[in-house]
Amino acid sequence: MKVLDAGCGVGGPMRAIAKGTGGGVLGITINEYQVKRCKEENKSSKLDHLCDIVQGSFLEMPFEKNTFDGCYCIEAACHAPDIVALYKEIFRVMKPGTKFSSYEWLTTPLYDAANPAHVRVVDDVAEGNALPAVRSIPQILKAGKDAGFTLVHHEDIAHPSHGAIPWQAAMRTARRAAFLTDMLTYLLEKIGWAPKGTWATHQMLLRAADALESCGESGIFTPMYMVTFQKPK
């Protein structure tokens, strides 16, 4: 059995899944550095017999149709400029009857597109995390249907009803370190030891972190919306 990790980064989830299940995982990422790092980590973890990676776009994958026994995306599909195109490409390379799951960054039903404060913080999340936009739950469910999948399950794993520590708590604990690195990047750029634009980039990332915390507190956004689809037999 071999599953596809679409948008695998350096392969952390890939190795965890392979180690826990004994199944094979093939990842794809567009980033050359991530390919090199993933191969090194696979080898050092002694999982290179189960895990492998190729470089390429998950919108145009170099695989034959009906190749994989399943597929998943973890915080990767949110970067796709066209979510329907991505889902269709995943549909193409999966075997009939197999399942595809994805963790999506989405607005929740509490998000109000007519509320300027909601729009501002969600836009800051998108800008600071290199997202084309932050999509909604209905958009994702429709994209799966348009790609040819049938819906199996969907759930906000980060919802407070699960009783876990709120995901946005991590934003609060990082504030002091963020303040120090902000001062440092400003000083390094001022004296010419950091490239021009370093501080502005850090400021953008700080806005994104603040926006994530604000979105989490208000409940208008979730980074852990899980959807599972199935390719018909």
Side-chain angles (χ1 to χ4, degrees), residues 49-79:
H49 63 296
L50 293 175
C51 301
D52 201 0
I53 184 172
V54 298
Q55 184 177 357
S57 169
F58 59 11
L59 294 173
E60 296 181 50
M61 292 188 278
F63 310 126
E64 297 294 326
K65 65 180 182 179
N66 304 331
T67 296
F68 294 96
D69 299 295
C71 176
Y72 64 87
C73 290
I74 298 180
E75 297 184 345
C78 55
H79 294 284

Side-chain angles (χ1 to χ4, degrees), residues 1 20 25 27 30 35 42 55 58 70 78 80 88 112 118 123 140 145 151 158 169 192 199 212 215 222 227 233:
M1 175 178 285
V25 185
I30 201 167
V35 171
N42 290 348
Q55 184 177 357
F58 59 11
C78 55
K88 284 183 176 180
D112 180 3
H118 286 191
D123 284 350
I140 289 298
K145 182 179 179 180
L151 180 64
W199 184 61
L212 282 166
C215 286
T222 174
V227 290
K233 294 181 179 180

Side-chain angles (χ1 to χ4, degrees), residues 2-233:
K2 178 159 290 206
V3 300
L4 173 67
D5 184 336
C8 63
V10 297
M14 172 197 302
R15 287 183 290 278
I17 290 171
K19 184 176 181 180
T21 66
V25 185
L26 178 62
I28 184 169
T29 177
I30 201 167
N31 187 286
E32 183 179 0
Y33 166 77
Q34 290 178 343
V35 171
K36 181 176 181 292
R37 175 73 182 277
C38 182
K39 285 182 177 292
E40 291 171 351
E41 294 292 335
N42 290 348
K43 187 174 182 179
S44 65
S45 302
K46 298 182 179 179
L47 290 167
D48 49 332
H49 63 296
L50 293 175
C51 301
D52 201 0
I53 184 172
V54 298
Q55 184 177 357
S57 169
F58 59 11
L59 294 173
E60 296 181 50
M61 292 188 278
F63 310 126
E64 297 294 326
K65 65 180 182 179
N66 304 331
T67 296
F68 294 96
D69 299 295
C71 176
Y72 64 87
C73 290
I74 298 180
E75 297 184 345
C78 55
H79 294 284
D82 185 336
I83 193 65
V84 176
L86 172 61
Y87 282 8
K88 284 183 176 180
E89 182 66 352
I90 289 171
F91 183 94
R92 181 184 70 82
V93 301
M94 288 173 55
K95 294 177 182 177
T98 58
K99 293 178 181 177
F100 161 54
S101 288
S102 182
Y103 263 131
E104 298 283 353
W105 285 31
L106 302 176
T107 56
T108 73
L110 296 177
Y111 173 75
D112 180 3
N115 185 325
H118 286 191
V119 173
R120 177 182 57 79
V121 293
V122 169
D123 284 350
D124 283 346
V125 168
E127 180 186 27
N129 291 278
L131 308 180
V134 179
R135 302 178 178 99
S136 67
I137 297 168
Q139 283 177 308
I140 289 298
L141 300 183
K142 183 177 184 300
K145 182 179 179 180
D146 290 347
F149 288 111
T150 56
L151 180 64
V152 175
H153 180 74
H154 65 107
E155 179 183 7
D156 184 2
I157 303 299
H159 194 275
S161 62
H162 288 283
I165 297 173
W167 62 267
Q168 67 272 14
M171 304 295 110
R172 292 195 293 269
T173 58
R175 278 182 179 173
R176 182 173 297 179
F179 175 73
L180 293 174
T181 55
D182 190 55
M183 291 179 58
L184 183 62
T185 53
Y186 175 80
L187 290 172
L188 289 175
E189 183 176 334
K190 201 72 173 174
I191 64 177
W193 288 7
K196 187 176 181 181
T198 299
W199 184 61
T201 300
H202 193 265
Q203 286 278 298
M204 177 189 69
L205 295 174
L206 286 180
R207 287 195 302 274
D210 288 342
L212 282 166
E213 182 180 350
S214 177
C215 286
E217 294 294 339
S218 63
I220 64 174
F221 166 85
T222 174
M224 296 172 62
Y225 201 91
M226 188 178 76
V227 290
T228 299
F229 300 105
Q230 185 171 26
K231 182 174 180 176
K233 294 181 179 180

